[in-house]
Amino acid sequence: MKNLGMLWATFLALCLTGPAASAENESAADKLYILNCGEGVAGDISRWSPGVNVGQSMDFADNCYLIHHQKGWLLWDTGVADAIAAMPDGQAPADPKATHWRRPKTLASQLDQLGIKPADIAYLAISHTHPDHIGNIELFPESMLLVQKAEYDWPGPSGAARFKPDHPVTKLEGDHDVFGDGSVTIISTPGHTPGHQSLLVKLPKTGALVLSGDAVHFQSNWENRRVPSMNADKDATLASMQRIADLVAKEKAQLWINHDKEQRDKLKMAPDFYN
Ligand SMILES: [Zn+2]
C-alpha cells in the first residue's frame, strides 16, 4: 500500500509539473547572441539631438542580435555591409556630420564562429532600411524577411526599391508574434522611418528585453525624448517612444539601445550569450 501511495504521488507530481515544464522548454526563445555589426563615430551628435552638444562627436555601436528558438534562428538587423571590414579607414560619410563606419569583424565570420550557416537563419527581421541595418540582407537569400509593409513600400533614394523583389518576405501591418508563443514579438514603432519596428524578446533567465532599433539612439535622447532631425515623423517617433516606455514597464523589460556604445560595452558579446 505504501508503495502504491508513493507511485500515485509520483504520478500526480508528473501530471502537475511534467507537461508544463516540457512545454516551456519546447516553445521558447532560449538564447540571444549580440554580434558586432559595426563601430561608428557620429561627426556631430546634434544631428540626433537638435540644439544639444552641437559640433561634438560620439561613438556609436551597431549591433545585430541572433536569437535561437526551438523552431529556428532569427537574426535581428544585419549591420553595415561586411565589405566595410576590408576598407582600412572604414566608410566615411558624404556629410561629415553623419556617421563614419568601421567594421572590426564581418557578420559572416561571427556566424561561422558560432557554427551557423546563412541558410540556418529562418527569419531575418530588420528594424528599418537605413544602411547600417540592412548592409548584409543578401547574405541570407533564403531567409524570410519580416518587415513592415510601410517600410517595404517606402520609395528608396531616387525612387529605387529597398529590397530585392525576389527575396522571400512577409509584409507586416503592426505587431507580429514570430513563433506564436509570445517569446519573440515584433513591435511596430514608426517615426524614425515610416515602417520602423522594435523587438520584444522573453528569455528564461534574462527575462524580457526590448531591442530598440533606432526608435532611440542613446540614453540621454531616451531620457529627454529628443527626436533626431532626420526622422520621417516627429509625432510618430514620440508616440513610439511612449509605447516602448509602456511596454518596458508592463513587461519589466530591459531596454537595449542599439547604437548606445556606453550601454553596449557593458553587455556580453558573442560567442557569449544571454539565456
Ligand atoms: Zn542606425
Side-chain angles (χ1 to χ4, degrees):
M1 275 310 281
K2 198 179 166 194
N3 279 351
L4 210 71
M6 271 180 71
L7 213 69
W8 181 241
T10 309
F11 172 72
L12 272 180
L14 273 173
C15 287
L16 291 172
T17 64
S22 71
E24 200 178 304
N25 291 340
E26 276 163 22
S27 67
D30 55 13
K31 241 184 227 182
L32 180 148
Y33 295 92
I34 307 177
L35 309 176
N36 185 320
C37 275
E39 302 279 351
V41 180
D44 182 343
I45 201 60
S46 70
R47 221 171 149 256
W48 289 266
S49 53
V52 180
N53 295 325
V54 178
Q56 290 185 29
S57 70
M58 185 189 257
D59 289 345
F60 272 0
D62 191 19
N63 302 312
C64 301
Y65 304 85
L66 178 67
I67 297 158
H68 181 258
H69 188 284
Q70 204 68 27
K71 292 181 184 169
W73 291 96
L74 177 142
L75 180 64
W76 174 251
D77 276 341
T78 69
V80 298
D82 271 2
I84 292 178
M87 302 177 184
D89 293 320
Q91 189 183 57
D95 173 359
K97 292 181 176 176
T99 312
H100 188 142
W101 287 112
R102 290 180 176 80
R103 214 191 214 289
K105 309 177 194 182
T106 62
L107 174 57
S109 72
Q110 292 172 82
L111 291 175
D112 194 48
Q113 197 193 355
L114 296 171
I116 294 162
K117 293 178 210 50
D120 297 335
I121 306 293
Y123 297 104
L124 187 59
I126 51 131
S127 59
H128 65 297
T129 51
H130 285 160
D132 51 321
H133 300 263
I134 57 163
N136 299 295
I137 284 184
E138 291 312 323
L139 264 182
F140 311 93
E142 296 161 41
S143 308
M144 176 58 72
L145 252 173
L146 302 175
V147 60
Q148 297 292 319
K149 185 175 184 297
E151 193 78 4
Y152 196 94
D153 293 344
W154 184 33
S158 70
R162 286 176 183 266
F163 298 95
K164 259 183 101 174
D166 55 356
H167 198 119
V169 63
T170 304
K171 297 177 196 172
L172 308 173
E173 293 181 73
D175 298 352
H176 177 64
D177 180 350
V178 178
F179 297 105
D181 61 4
S183 64
V184 180
T185 310
I186 289 175
I187 307 292
S188 169
T189 50
H192 182 56
T193 61
H196 186 278
Q197 50 189 16
S198 305
L199 195 71
L200 170 66
V201 185
K202 294 181 183 171
L203 292 168
K205 290 193 183 139
T206 308
L209 298 168
V210 174
L211 307 182
S212 64
D214 286 5
V216 59
H217 290 75
F218 45 90
Q219 186 64 26
S220 63
N221 266 12
W222 174 246
E223 285 161 8
N224 296 288
R225 295 290 189 270
R226 292 190 183 119
V227 178
S229 59
M230 81 290 279
N231 278 21
D233 185 325
K234 186 175 178 179
D235 291 343
T237 302
L238 290 168
S240 289
M241 282 179 161
Q242 189 55 49
R243 193 162 177 226
I244 289 174
D246 292 344
L247 191 65
V248 162
K250 178 171 170 261
E251 302 290 348
K252 298 183 177 61
Q254 300 176 49
L255 175 62
W256 284 4
I257 301 176
N258 193 327
H259 289 308
D260 190 317
K261 187 166 184 300
E262 209 179 311
Q263 182 190 44
R264 204 285 311 274
D265 283 348
K266 294 178 193 142
L267 299 175
K268 298 184 281 191
M269 301 297 288
D272 220 340
F273 60 86
Y274 290 86
N275 60 4

